[in-house]
């Protein structure tokens, strides 16, 4: 299935699949057992996250750019970069009179409040205490111990990725009325792919489910639909390295080594009305074909297309995640 340059005989990336209608595909509801999905979800929730939360794409927090406001678990944040490009994060309210620091300006790497000119260089000042922040080159993480409630870790557990100079990367963000567990549960149900997203997937078969002692992963053979009957068949693996993260890694076929990271970040906290969760998804696409160098050069053009494709999937998946939360919150969830 690989067929890339330097790996022997060249093979075309696309395949022409036989015309099988949506309703004619084998039903998957017997395989998608609720206890299997809920068991994988429980094990994911038990993994340490170190109180780290994904809050933005690295490109959103720009050196010389404006501050960025975020809310995680009901905690208001502000992020910006120093003149040297180092990220800073801290409470979003000015320690003077509570003005929103996201409305301030960054001058020579210092955040200046618009109300009275109080300046913050990223260090503690007048009761304002910074939060640990980590930029992994694709995503920005902030550690919030009061929100996570776990044993803190010095760094987030960033999933293994292809080298950035080999990949085309794009980041999508979306928000839904649900909890992070609903987003993770959606990703831990690969059986819905060809039924719920026939515009993107076909011929989906789950070839391995999580088993004790055999690796806590779902392995799937699936064809990505390009157009009409043209598809790209791959093998993909879904894992949960942390309580709010699901990683899909292509392990065979075109684009082997490509990664899709899905991070679910709670926006609301406590009993502040219906929950809201942000989905931040990073797509890192790689290929060993000769023409992929041109794709990397065209990354600024490709990123919006990649975000649009991911956004179409999440438009549907977040509606289902919201439905799952609604059923759980009213005691009607069937699982």
């Amino acid at each position: 299935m690989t067929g890339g340059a330097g790996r022997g005989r060249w093979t075309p990336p696309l395949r022409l699949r036989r015309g099988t209608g949506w309703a004619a595909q084998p039903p998957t509801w017997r395989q998608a057992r609720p206890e299997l999905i809920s068991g994988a979800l429980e094990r994911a929730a038990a993994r340490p996250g170190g109180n780290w939360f994904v809050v933005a794409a690295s490109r959103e927090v720009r050196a010389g750019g404006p501050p960025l406001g975020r809310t995680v678990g009901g905690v208001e944040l502000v992020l910006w970069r120093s003149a040297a490009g180092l990220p800073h994060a801290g409470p979003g309210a000015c320690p003077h009179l509570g003005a929103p620091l996201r409305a301030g300006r960054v001058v020579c790497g210092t955040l200046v409040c618009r109300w009275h000119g109080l300046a913050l260089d990223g260090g503690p000042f007048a009761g304002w205490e910074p939060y640990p922040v980590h930029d992994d080159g694709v995503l920005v993480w902030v550690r919030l111990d009061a929100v996570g409630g776990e044993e803190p870790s010095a760094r987030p557990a960033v999933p293994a990725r292809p080298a950035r100079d080999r990949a085309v990367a794009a980041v999508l963000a979306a928000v839904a009325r649900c909890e992070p567990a609903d987003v993770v549960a959606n990703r831990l149900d690969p059986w819905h792919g060809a039924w719920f997203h026939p515009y993107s997937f076909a011929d989906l078969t789950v070839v391995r489910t999580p088993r004790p002692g055999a690796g806590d992963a779902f392995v799937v053979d699936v064809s990505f639909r390009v157009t009409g009957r043209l598809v790209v068949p791959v093998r993909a693996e879904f894992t949960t390295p942390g309580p709010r993260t699901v990683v899909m890694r292509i392990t065979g076929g075109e684009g082997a080594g490509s990664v899709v990271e899905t991070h679910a970040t709670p926006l609301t906290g406590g009993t502040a009305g219906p929950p809201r969760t942000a989905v931040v998804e990073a797509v890192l696409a790689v290929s060993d074909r000769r023409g992929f160098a041109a794709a990397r050069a065209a990354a600024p053009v490709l990123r919006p297309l990649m975000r649009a494709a991911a956004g179409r999937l999440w438009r549907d998946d977040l509606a289902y995640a919201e439905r799952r939360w609604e059923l759980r919150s009213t005691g009607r969830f069937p699982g």
Side-chain angles (χ1 to χ4, degrees):
M1 292 173 66
T2 53
R7 292 189 177 183
R9 183 175 62 86
W10 182 88
T11 59
L14 302 180
R15 303 287 189 275
L16 187 65
R17 71 184 293 268
R18 295 177 181 176
T20 301
W22 174 82
Q25 62 183 321
T28 57
W29 65 270
R30 288 184 177 87
Q31 290 75 38
R33 302 194 309 275
E35 67 273 13
L36 183 59
I37 297 169
S38 62
L41 180 63
E42 288 175 6
R43 292 190 296 276
R47 295 189 175 103
N51 301 330
W52 288 94
F53 299 86
V54 171
V55 293
S58 297
R59 293 175 179 272
E60 291 182 274
V61 189
R62 297 182 290 107
L68 185 68
R70 286 290 188 266
T71 300
V72 175
V75 176
E76 184 186 6
L77 309 175
V78 65
L79 300 100
W80 78 97
R81 288 193 190 273
S82 70
L86 297 176
H88 295 297
C94 179
H96 175 222
L97 288 175
L101 291 172
R102 66 178 181 276
R105 294 180 59 187
V106 179
V107 180
C108 297
T110 297
L111 176 59
V112 181
C113 178
R114 290 178 64 89
W115 276 19
H116 301 93
L118 185 144
L120 298 168
D121 63 5
F125 182 79
W128 188 92
E129 293 288 337
Y131 297 125
V133 59
H134 179 77
D135 183 354
D136 64 28
V138 178
L139 300 171
V140 177
W141 308 62
V142 173
R143 198 184 82 195
L144 297 169
D145 295 339
V147 175
E150 300 180 62
E151 184 70 24
S153 60
R155 290 287 185 271
V158 179
R161 298 170 175 163
R164 277 182 290 162
D165 60 358
R166 293 184 53 240
V168 176
V171 179
L172 167 82
V175 176
R177 191 177 73 167
C178 64
E179 295 177 337
D182 300 302
V183 173
V184 175
N186 179 274
R187 269 294 188 258
L188 295 180
D189 170 18
W191 293 276
H192 78 268
W195 284 102
F196 202 43
H197 309 293
Y199 48 83
S200 292
F201 305 116
D203 307 322
L204 188 149
T205 302
V206 178
V207 298
R208 195 181 84 202
T209 57
R211 300 189 305 274
D216 204 4
F218 291 90
V219 179
V220 174
D221 285 340
V222 63
S223 292
F224 288 96
R225 194 185 296 275
V226 178
T227 180
R229 293 169 59 195
L230 288 176
V231 298
V232 179
V234 303
R235 173 162 287 191
E237 179 182 88
F238 292 80
T239 57
T240 49
R244 294 173 294 275
T245 298
V246 180
V247 177
M248 186 203 76
R249 191 179 310 277
I250 295 179
T251 58
E254 188 66 25
S258 299
V259 168
V260 178
E261 295 177 15
T262 303
H263 302 273
T265 298
L267 302 182
T268 51
T271 58
R276 295 174 69 245
T277 294
V279 175
V280 184
E281 185 163 274
V283 180
L284 292 93
V286 294
S287 174
D288 57 3
R289 292 184 180 272
R290 296 186 188 93
F292 191 71
R296 290 199 305 273
V301 176
L302 291 177
R303 287 190 189 101
L305 300 176
M306 294 165 69
R307 283 194 292 267
R312 187 180 185 187
L313 290 172
W314 277 112
R315 179 195 63 198
D316 292 340
D317 275 340
L318 287 184
Y320 193 82
E322 290 181 337
R323 168 73 174 175
R324 186 180 187 276
W325 175 79
E326 179 186 355
L327 292 175
R328 285 194 306 106
S329 65
T330 56
R332 293 180 292 151
F333 187 63

